[in-house]
Amino acid sequence: LDLPLEVVEGGEHHRLTRLRADALCLHHETTDRHPRAVRLRRLRFGRAVTLSLQEVSDRLEIQDLIARYSYALDSRDYDALDDLFTPDAVLDYTATGAIKGSLAEMKEFVANAFTMFDGTQHLTTQTMLTFADDGSTAYGKSTCHNPMVFGGDLKPKMMIV
């Protein structure tokens, strides 16, 4: 079965094909096409979607940041958050009953709030990203399912946010 994904870069055509359900093979072909793009050739509705390599890269990097954020919280490695936010970041968690503040304020708040939990697991999914026309700004929304297991006298209760 052909996986409907091809990458065209610098006149060289790369086509991914599925050999088995768990294996992908990259084929190299020379072509006269030169735009840098990732093309989904067959979609259910018959439309083609073209993303630039930069947008594909940006999307993957943003999703990586979201995953690293989740791992930092769940492993209680709050200093790892320093690598994920700019120094002037303002974090707003008021929708969850938490605070709005600087990264330092949020790290302190979360460190204190998470003492009541033996474990948390931030599961993020359905990340939707749109980019400004000039590609300089991304807007996003991601769903987070967060089961938190209480510790101490509250065992074995669980809260899901």
Side-chain angles (χ1 to χ4, degrees):
L1 296 173
D2 280 340
L3 183 70
L5 178 66
E6 65 180 82
V7 178
V8 178
E9 184 173 354
E12 193 164 288
H13 179 123
H14 308 280
R15 183 170 40 94
L16 292 171
T17 57
R18 187 182 306 271
L19 299 178
R20 329 184 280 277
D22 61 344
L24 294 176
C25 181
L26 182 64
H27 297 281
H28 299 282
E29 300 172 10
T30 303
T31 181
D32 59 349
R33 292 189 283 174
H34 48 75
R36 301 179 120 203
V38 173
R39 290 209 170 101
L40 297 176
R41 294 208 275 175
R42 292 186 310 265
L43 296 177
R44 186 171 292 169
F45 302 108
R47 297 182 306 166
V49 176
T50 302
L51 302 174
S52 70
L53 289 178
Q54 184 61 54
E55 186 175 340
V56 171
S57 175
D58 290 345
R59 288 175 177 277
L60 290 171
E61 288 182 48
I62 291 168
Q63 290 183 343
D64 183 61
L65 284 172
I66 294 169
R68 291 171 55 199
Y69 170 80
S70 296
Y71 278 100
L73 291 178
D74 294 336
S75 65
R76 310 297 193 261
D77 183 7
Y78 306 119
D79 288 335
L81 297 172
D82 295 341
D83 294 332
L84 308 179
F85 292 94
T86 59
D88 61 343
V90 176
L91 289 76
D92 185 351
Y93 294 105
T94 55
T96 64
I99 66 168
K100 176 180 179 178
S102 68
L103 178 57
E105 292 168 324
M106 188 56 68
K107 285 169 47 176
E108 181 180 349
F109 175 84
V110 171
N112 290 329
F114 277 21
T115 59
M116 70 176 82
F117 302 111
D118 277 351
T120 61
Q121 187 175 29
H122 290 74
L123 306 167
T124 55
T125 185
Q126 297 174 318
T127 300
M128 296 288 296
L129 299 170
T130 56
F131 292 84
D133 289 339
D134 66 0
S136 65
T137 305
Y139 303 90
K141 183 176 184 178
S142 192
T143 302
C144 181
H145 177 77
N146 183 16
M148 299 181 282
V149 178
F150 286 101
D153 295 338
L154 298 174
K155 276 186 177 179
K157 298 186 183 205
M158 179 184 288
M159 176 172 74
I160 298 177
V161 177

